[in-house]
Amino acid sequence: MPQRSLKLARCLLVLVPVAAWAAWLGWDQHRDVHPDGSVTGPYEAWQVIGLVVTLLAPVYWAASRRHVADAVLATTAGLTAAAFYDWSDDASGLFLVGVGMVMTASLMATFALSVLIASVTRPGRRSEPGPTGA
């Protein structure tokens, strides 16, 4: 892959998680108060699942092309930055614990997934003429 295309792909690999976070989680800031007084939220399980499923495509794309480090680091950086921005208005400062958990979990999950994808997909090969030139 040419150097310029690789730089563009890396930028996109960082921007896709940020955009996916905004699309799936960024708009929901409402916490649910239950009759017993407990509070949950702001995210529902389907939102987090949607985020994870959305991120499978760029991670697969990069890992299947043997860009495992790019897949892992860009996805982790994008999710960490999005979580930091989204949660930074928390006055208690505990949002940093959550951001650290997002960073750690995304790093471990994308690493394991990328290594698995890279090991089961065949490296992309351009079609080359056979020994007879055909």
Side-chain angles (χ1 to χ4, degrees):
M1 184 180 279
Q3 192 68 9
R4 187 175 183 143
S5 296
L6 186 59
K7 286 182 182 181
L8 177 62
R10 286 178 178 155
C11 287
L12 288 174
L13 283 171
V14 171
L15 293 176
V16 168
V18 173
W21 182 286
W24 287 104
L25 305 178
W27 56 271
D28 190 358
Q29 303 299 320
H30 177 74
R31 297 195 180 273
D32 299 321
V33 180
H34 300 282
D36 65 355
S38 63
V39 179
T40 60
Y43 313 124
E44 300 290 333
W46 64 267
Q47 291 172 283
V48 178
I49 292 168
L51 174 66
V52 170
V53 170
T54 301
L55 294 178
L56 288 176
V59 169
Y60 178 84
W61 179 85
S64 66
R65 285 160 178 74
R66 303 300 188 261
H67 299 293
V68 172
D70 293 336
V72 173
L73 297 177
T75 303
T76 300
L79 286 176
T80 303
F84 184 89
Y85 178 80
D86 193 21
W87 298 340
S88 64
D89 61 348
D90 176 37
S92 72
L94 288 176
F95 77 94
L96 289 174
V97 174
V99 171
M101 292 171 70
V102 167
M103 181 184 67
T104 303
S106 63
L107 185 67
M108 292 183 341
T110 55
F111 177 75
L113 183 62
S114 296
V115 168
L116 178 67
I117 290 169
S119 68
V120 299
T121 57
R122 295 184 354 185
R125 297 182 188 184
R126 296 183 179 173
S127 62
E128 299 176 13
T132 61

